[in-house]
Amino acid sequence: MVNFFEHQQQARRNTLLLVFLFVLAFFLIIGLVVALAAVTMGGVTQTPGSTDYVVQWKPLGIIAAAVGGAILLIMMAKWVTLKPGGHVVAEQLGGVRIAPDSQDPVQRRVLNVVEEMAIAANMPVPAVYILPNEAGINAFAAGYETKDAAIGLTQGSIETFSREELQAVVAHEFSHILNGDMRLNIRLIAALAGILALAHFGRIMLHSARFRSRGRNNNNILPLVGIALMIIGGVGVFFGNIIKAAVSRQREYLADAAAVQFTRNPEGLAGALQQIGARQHGSRVQHQNADEVAHLFFGQALSKWFSLMATHPPLDKRIKRIQPRWNGHYPEPRQAFVESKAEQVAKQPKPSALDQLALLALPALLLERARSPQHAPELVRSLISSSMDTAASDLVNELATLGPSQQLALIELAVPALRLAPESKRIALIHDLQLLEHSTDLFHWCLYQLLARQLLPKGAFKDTLENKLALDTTCSALQQAEAGESVDYAQLSAAITTIKRWSPQQKQRVVEGWTAICTHDGVISTTEKKLVATLCACIESPLPDTMFE
């Protein structure tokens, strides 16, 4: 059996090294520019009557600060452009958002898989986009955190993958979200934009100097400086792309390992990769903006003649890591929808975490309302309101029968529709949520935390605690809730914010500690299930299977 935990740890260590090299390249580029300035602008002068040289540190320091500041400013501008979330990247690639209540059979199939994976990952459903003009098989995840995450799938992928393979690919993208890769990927886009600006500036200097020197017989050095900056910038971009590609390759290995661990079905991911290898177009993306975000994709989006520039590991290496006994032969290309429904069902893996949405058996009426931007706010308000003040008696009756896992799943499924709800309904719901901040009902307070962290502006939760105190606070809250004692909600909120920033492995150990507290007496109470489930969702960590039992 492949040791996926070991692969994850190794990939993280290598990624940290490569990010360090990227920062090092940034400072080397500044150093080269300073050296150029010293040679061409008199930054180093010889003392008259002596062989000694004097370095003019002040002007060179100003140049270094100006170059570094300009690069950082451009990086920041790019970062601000991408700050609104993953939908920006998806739309730049020509993506079309799927409405959460879409009834189109193809779109509904994709949404169902994404919803299943969100429930299995214990996180709100992200926005889903289709790239309708892309025949290649590919997918991506973009954004900064779960509240602004977006998952995109090419038309070729949804027409090619079986449901099992589609689950594996979506699980791969969810692992990027849970492992914090999206934020790193956005930063890489911004960093490369800053380095590329140096080459653009050199080109501008060269063009400007050409006009200024017309009709003059002088020794104008600006063209040489412009050419030198273009070369330095080009070298920076070259090595920046190599480092970016290397970072991406390591994160892809990590995402593959995490996805297999997540789905417990290596055949699904291996099959998806083999279908890429079997098709002529493979995973290529044709959009003009694909180069900038190539490292975000599931497969190699662009053809690279130089292996060091490839943003993804070779297909055969990825498959071998998942299936060590693979014979190296790709299957015949096939279309998933050629199979009958019975054939697709027969190929599904045995029940696992992926099947939680089906096992929860949410009523059709509630699913329909949770997916509707018009009805989702009313549904959520009814679910979290102690009075259940609504005229729809059938809705009240349905909600009254839900268990804690079903209630949490319904909230997570409703998030995409809540984001698209009419502004008046969304504002009213947020107002009601804020009233729950001081609720005496622990589960209602936990639901407030989950929804508020998804719907309120960024920065709404700033308070944090020292790491050990944060862990102790959550453990104490579990014990106090079970004993019927009061909980310090303000401190618990700060503890959640603190733990949310930890690595996935640290979060896993925290969740294991919570589970141990809940199972010490051999019984997991309803209160414990509610609290652990919502705490896991708030810190963006998968819920242990024992909590569904």
Side-chain angles (χ1 to χ4, degrees):
M1 179 66 180
V2 180
N3 189 337
F4 293 108
F5 283 109
E6 181 180 339
H7 281 172
Q8 289 182 37
Q9 189 61 29
Q10 180 182 357
R12 284 196 180 93
R13 286 195 299 267
N14 291 340
T15 296
L16 289 175
L17 174 62
L18 291 166
V19 171
F20 168 76
L21 292 176
F22 203 107
V23 174
L24 181 62
F26 167 76
F27 286 106
L28 285 175
I29 289 171
I30 295 176
L32 288 173
V33 174
V34 170
L36 175 65
V39 172
T40 61
M41 298 181 181
V44 178
T45 59
Q46 186 175 7
T47 303
S50 173
T51 59
D52 296 334
Y53 288 87
V54 178
V55 178
Q56 305 297 325
W57 291 110
K58 185 175 181 179
L60 293 180
I62 294 174
I63 291 173
V67 173
I71 293 176
L72 291 175
L73 184 63
I74 294 170
M75 289 169 57
M76 183 61 67
K78 187 65 176 181
W79 181 82
V80 169
T81 301
L82 299 173
K83 188 177 181 180
H87 71 90
V88 176
V89 175
E91 290 165 3
Q92 285 181 350
L93 292 169
V96 177
R97 184 169 184 172
I98 304 178
D101 56 348
S102 173
Q103 296 304 312
D104 177 85
V106 176
Q107 295 183 357
R108 189 71 257 163
R109 175 176 178 265
V110 173
L111 287 174
N112 287 343
V113 169
V114 174
E115 288 177 350
E116 290 168 2
M117 293 309 308
I119 297 302
N122 194 42
M123 62 174 282
V125 179
V128 184
Y129 285 80
I130 290 181
L131 307 186
N133 301 318
E134 300 292 346
I137 304 175
N138 227 321
F140 67 89
Y144 286 92
E145 52 186 339
T146 59
K147 70 180 297 179
D148 57 30
I151 286 181
L153 295 149
T154 63
Q155 189 70 29
S157 66
I158 64 176
E159 291 179 350
T160 300
F161 290 146
S162 67
R163 201 174 193 280
E164 181 180 358
E165 292 165 352
L166 188 60
Q167 282 180 330
V169 172
V170 172
H172 175 103
E173 299 308 325
F174 267 88
S175 70
H176 279 308
I177 298 174
L178 295 173
N179 284 325
D181 294 345
M182 297 191 304
R183 184 179 294 271
L184 174 64
N185 287 335
I186 294 295
R187 287 172 177 169
L188 288 176
I189 294 174
L192 195 62
I195 294 175
L196 181 62
L198 191 63
H200 287 321
F201 182 66
R203 191 176 296 111
I204 292 172
M205 285 188 64
L206 179 63
H207 183 72
S208 175
R210 187 173 57 187
F211 282 97
R212 291 180 60 185
S213 61
R214 283 182 178 178
R216 300 180 184 177
N217 295 317
N218 56 14
N219 297 321
N220 189 357
I221 64 170
L222 286 182
L224 295 178
V225 174
I227 292 173
L229 287 177
M230 289 174 60
I231 294 174
I232 293 173
V235 170
V237 171
F238 176 76
F239 285 104
N241 274 322
I242 289 179
I243 296 173
K244 180 185 75 171
V247 170
S248 176
R249 288 196 296 270
Q250 292 300 325
R251 303 310 282 186
E252 290 305 314
Y253 279 136
L254 171 58
D256 284 347
V260 172
Q261 174 189 319
F262 188 49
T263 62
R264 303 173 178 84
N265 179 33
E267 287 75 17
L269 186 61
L273 292 169
Q274 289 172 16
Q275 280 301 312
I276 291 177
R279 287 166 63 97
Q280 180 180 2
H281 294 290
S283 55
R284 288 197 296 275
V285 176
Q286 305 296 328
H287 198 277
Q288 61 182 1
N289 295 329
D291 183 54
E292 187 178 18
V293 297
H295 59 292
L296 270 64
F297 284 93
F298 171 71
Q300 181 69 37
L302 302 171
S303 298
K304 293 293 184 182
W305 59 270
F306 187 27
S307 62
L308 287 179
M309 300 289 282
T311 56
H312 290 66
L315 280 177
D316 56 347
K317 288 187 177 181
R318 293 176 70 180
I319 297 172
K320 280 286 187 180
R321 282 194 170 210
I322 301 167
Q323 289 183 330
R325 297 183 180 180
W326 178 56
N327 60 13
H329 297 296
Y330 292 106
E332 289 294 323
R334 56 108 171 93
Q335 296 291 327
F337 287 113
V338 173
E339 301 172 348
S340 67
K341 184 175 181 180
E343 289 173 328
Q344 292 186 38
V345 170
K347 290 186 176 181
Q348 294 303 302
K350 295 181 179 180
S352 66
L354 290 179
D355 305 305
Q356 290 299 343
L357 182 58
L359 295 176
L360 289 171
L362 290 170
L365 171 65
L366 299 186
L367 280 175
E368 180 181 348
R369 288 178 176 269
R371 292 164 174 164
S372 168
Q374 291 292 332
H375 298 106
E378 176 193 356
L379 173 70
V380 171
R381 183 180 294 107
S382 299
L383 182 62
I384 64 178
S385 171
S386 58
S387 62
M388 294 290 188
D389 184 15
T390 178
S393 59
D394 53 346
L395 177 61
V396 174
N397 293 334
E398 292 279 14
L399 290 173
T401 64
L402 298 183
S405 297
Q406 292 175 307
Q407 294 179 49
L408 177 59
L410 203 60
I411 291 292
E412 292 172 337
L413 291 171
V415 168
L418 292 175
R419 294 198 181 106
L420 298 176
E423 185 176 3
S424 59
K425 292 186 176 182
R426 189 170 64 253
I427 292 175
L429 176 61
I430 291 175
H431 178 265
D432 290 348
L433 289 176
Q434 291 172 327
L435 295 178
L436 290 174
E437 184 177 3
H438 305 291
S439 172
T440 57
D441 184 284
L442 181 60
F443 186 53
H444 285 176
W445 180 86
C446 287
L447 290 180
Y448 154 74
Q449 284 284 316
L450 175 58
L451 279 170
R453 289 172 186 271
Q454 292 295 318
L455 300 179
L456 292 180
K458 293 182 179 180
F461 296 88
K462 296 180 179 179
D463 294 340
T464 58
L465 300 175
E466 184 271 331
N467 286 350
K468 186 177 185 306
L469 180 57
L471 176 59
D472 292 342
T473 296
T474 57
C475 292
S476 296
L478 279 171
Q479 296 168 336
Q480 291 165 348
E482 182 62 16
E485 302 173 0
S486 61
V487 177
D488 187 339
Y489 289 143
Q491 186 158 319
L492 182 56
S493 176
I496 291 172
T497 303
T498 302
I499 296 174
K500 183 181 176 182
R501 300 174 181 179
W502 293 359
S503 71
Q505 285 185 320
Q506 290 175 308
K507 292 179 183 177
Q508 182 185 13
R509 287 194 289 269
V510 171
V511 175
E512 289 172 353
W514 294 344
T515 304
I517 291 174
C518 295
T519 57
H520 78 283
D521 57 356
V523 178
I524 304 177
S525 69
T526 300
T527 300
E528 290 171 329
K529 282 186 177 181
K530 289 180 177 181
L531 184 55
V532 171
T534 48
L535 284 176
C536 286
C538 287
I539 68 170
E540 302 177 0
S541 180
L543 184 66
D545 291 344
T546 54
M547 290 296 164
F548 284 100
E549 296 174 357

